[in-house]
Amino acid sequence: MSYLLNSNEILQTIQMIDQQHLDVRTVTMGINLLDCANNDINVCCNNIYDKICRKAEHLVETACNIEREFGIPIVNKRVSVTPISLVAASCKTDDYTPLALTLDKAAKEVGINFIGGFSALCHKGFTESDVKLINSIPRALTETDIVCSSINVASTRAGINMDAVALMGKIIRQTADIDPMGCAKLVVFSNAVEDNPFMAGAFHGVGEPECVINVGVSGPGVVAHALKECKGKPFDDVAETIKKTAFKITRMGELVAQEASKRLGVPFGVVDLSLAPTPAVGDSVAEILEIMGLEKCGTHGTTAALALLNDAVKKGGVMASSHVGGLSGAFIPVSEDAGMISAVESGSLCIEKLEAMTCVCSVGLDMIAVPGDTKAETISAIIADEAAIGMVNNKTTAVRLIPAKGKKVGDKIDFGGLLGSAPVISLHEESPAEFVARGGRIPAPLHSLKN
């Protein structure tokens, strides 16, 4: 695929990379593991290890070569696999931890940053394999380093599986009691997508090809820089500026994706347009919202500003590529965004405002530290609230909460690297235990009947 770039566009891109934190956040290879299934878990593990090492053998090398040749930073190289609850369904075992250890070993062998897919899809009900996988999560995530897990508990078509919601509250609680860092690798979804290249929610969906390359781009700093030229201008100009910037970011992502696809001999899947912040100053979604005129992220007007940003990013991206997918929008992970951290510390951003913001942006309550003594039922209720937003609004939402062991509101927990650090946020003290204990399924909304 060729692009007609003039010298001005090339210079702009160089400036974006050098001064505005523009990067390709991840090149993620999706790998189908269904043919690795075997009723002997040791054989299944060997099959999984061999296939990942074979398919992803040259992923890191290829991404590094592209990075060097094009001068475009590629921060992460990752792999996503078929949900392990499907792959392991025939295994004669109740503990799927060996499968997670195999994923971790294979990922380290090929040199990637993270591997996603220790996952289950149980939005309408559990299979026996789903339950085994979910019960294995606390050990699996605390005994591995780079394995990520995701559980889909709701969808617009199926409603909310409240039994799964209740169970996931307990699992997050158990994981945090062993090691809170395990919770940073676990996300609970409503309407999970099959082609998401970002962790911790990436898995290789059953509708995907045998192997595929998905690329996630990022550029909050680039958008923030562009908006500084719009001071005092109406929102029409703000939206147009974001669209044009997203167009340039996406073109860069598509270039990398197509090149990686060609060199690896693997089909190109999607470019995910999500603005994924980092703890670095100047690489913040919160800062973008404040440049629009908010004194502090979280104040009144924040949801409207975020809605504009999310929509304009999508519109600019789809002009640049016909293969846009994944989540594509603006992420608001508290620990990974310096502006969000500051807003929580100042008291302007609370859990209720974050929940409102998830109605109009990508994903949901992400990388939020909560008090170490938070009860499982409270975690489940938060998951249920977020799942309801996704179900009713026909969008992907998610929860990634970290009960901070031994810490209380106002304390800080440090995750390191791109995961950053987060102040412990306050939650309601009133108990939702009776609500969560009802179980069953919250029915799908009327507008799900679209046939």
Side-chain angles (χ1 to χ4, degrees):
M1 188 171 185
S2 62
Y3 292 96
L4 297 176
L5 296 171
N6 60 41
S7 58
N8 186 49
E9 285 180 304
I10 293 170
L11 290 172
Q12 284 180 349
T13 303
I14 292 171
Q15 185 180 37
M16 289 175 183
I17 292 168
D18 285 347
Q19 301 174 24
Q20 299 160 28
H21 304 285
L22 178 62
D23 57 50
V24 170
R25 188 55 48 86
T26 178
V27 173
T28 301
M29 175 180 282
I31 303 174
N32 168 42
L33 296 183
L34 288 174
D35 59 345
C36 297
N38 194 285
N39 59 11
D40 184 329
I41 191 169
N42 293 317
V43 175
C44 184
C45 286
N46 289 336
N47 291 343
I48 288 171
Y49 179 83
D50 290 343
K51 187 163 187 181
I52 292 171
C53 291
R54 185 173 71 253
K55 291 287 187 180
E57 180 183 7
H58 300 295
L59 174 62
V60 173
E61 175 191 358
T62 300
C64 289
N65 287 340
I66 293 171
E67 184 177 26
R68 184 170 55 252
E69 292 171 29
F70 288 81
I72 298 170
I74 300 174
V75 180
N76 291 290
K77 297 85 179 174
R78 299 165 172 168
V79 166
S80 63
V81 299
T82 309
I84 292 298
S85 70
L86 301 177
V87 180
S90 62
C91 289
K92 305 300 183 186
T93 180
D94 290 330
D95 183 10
Y96 287 179
T97 304
L99 294 153
L101 293 169
T102 298
L103 293 177
D104 201 55
K105 181 181 176 183
K108 290 173 180 175
E109 176 64 27
V110 298
I112 57 174
N113 305 95
F114 284 106
I115 186 164
F118 195 76
S119 307
L121 310 176
C122 48
H123 38 282
K124 200 169 184 179
F126 294 113
T127 65
E128 290 182 9
S129 187
D130 292 335
V131 175
K132 291 176 182 178
L133 182 133
I134 292 171
N135 286 331
S136 300
I137 285 173
R139 277 193 62 203
L141 294 188
T142 56
E143 294 182 18
T144 59
D145 298 314
I146 53 179
V147 172
C148 294
S149 178
S150 57
I151 307 296
N152 194 59
V153 299
S155 74
T156 298
R157 284 284 190 176
I160 305 174
N161 180 353
M162 287 299 294
D163 294 317
V165 169
L167 179 56
M168 287 312 299
K170 296 175 183 176
I171 292 298
I172 292 169
R173 177 71 271 163
Q174 290 171 22
T175 305
D177 288 342
I178 303 170
D179 183 359
M181 274 302 296
C183 297
K185 301 183 291 175
L186 172 61
V187 59
V188 184
F189 274 118
S190 173
N191 289 319
V193 297
E194 297 188 326
D195 55 3
N196 167 26
F198 287 101
M199 300 296 170
F203 64 87
H204 187 68
V206 294
E208 293 289 300
E210 177 70 16
C211 192
V212 69
I213 289 291
N214 296 316
V215 167
V217 296
S218 187
V222 179
V223 175
H225 183 270
L227 286 185
K228 289 176 181 177
E229 305 299 317
C230 293
K231 189 173 179 62
K233 292 183 179 179
F235 283 115
D236 311 74
D237 292 345
V238 172
E240 194 63 26
T241 299
I242 296 170
K243 279 166 55 181
K244 290 177 179 176
T245 305
F247 177 85
K248 295 173 185 175
I249 294 170
T250 307
R251 293 228 308 183
M252 183 196 73
E254 172 120 346
L255 175 65
V256 169
Q258 293 282 6
E259 193 64 28
S261 170
K262 182 176 68 176
R263 296 187 186 191
L264 290 166
V266 173
F268 161 46
V270 301
V271 176
D272 186 317
L273 313 176
S274 299
L275 295 182
T278 71
V281 175
D283 198 26
S284 162
V285 168
E287 182 185 356
I288 295 172
L289 306 182
E290 291 167 3
I291 289 171
M292 289 189 200
L294 303 173
E295 184 176 350
K296 198 74 174 175
C297 177
T299 191
H300 305 296
T302 298
T303 306
L306 185 58
L308 183 153
L309 172 64
N310 208 56
D311 181 65
V313 165
K314 293 176 190 286
K315 287 174 177 173
V318 297
M319 288 193 297
S321 173
S322 59
H323 293 278
V324 170
L327 299 167
S328 291
F331 287 176
I332 53 170
V334 172
S335 79
E336 299 171 19
D337 187 312
M340 295 286 178
I341 294 170
S342 173
V344 171
E345 289 176 332
S346 72
S348 68
L349 190 58
C350 61
I351 191 76
E352 291 84 5
K353 189 59 178 180
L354 281 163
E355 185 179 298
M357 292 164 69
T358 66
C359 297
V360 299
C361 75
S362 286
V363 203
L365 298 172
D366 195 15
M367 287 301 292
I368 297 174
V370 298
D373 60 357
T374 302
K375 295 186 184 309
E377 295 86 357
T378 300
I379 297 169
S380 294
I382 293 170
I383 293 170
D385 282 343
E386 199 59 32
I389 290 172
M391 175 186 72
V392 172
N393 291 290
N394 198 24
K395 70 183 293 292
T396 302
T397 53
V399 171
R400 188 162 46 147
L401 295 182
I402 298 94
K405 193 174 183 179
K407 296 187 181 293
K408 60 185 185 300
V409 175
D411 292 341
K412 206 165 188 177
I413 181 169
D414 188 13
F415 304 108
L418 283 175
L419 295 177
S421 61
V424 177
I425 203 165
S426 64
L427 304 175
H428 287 284
E429 295 181 1
E430 299 80 7
S431 174
E434 186 177 341
F435 172 80
V436 172
R438 287 180 179 270
R441 186 152 52 96
I442 293 180
L446 183 61
H447 63 251
S448 69
L449 301 175
K450 292 183 177 179
N451 289 334

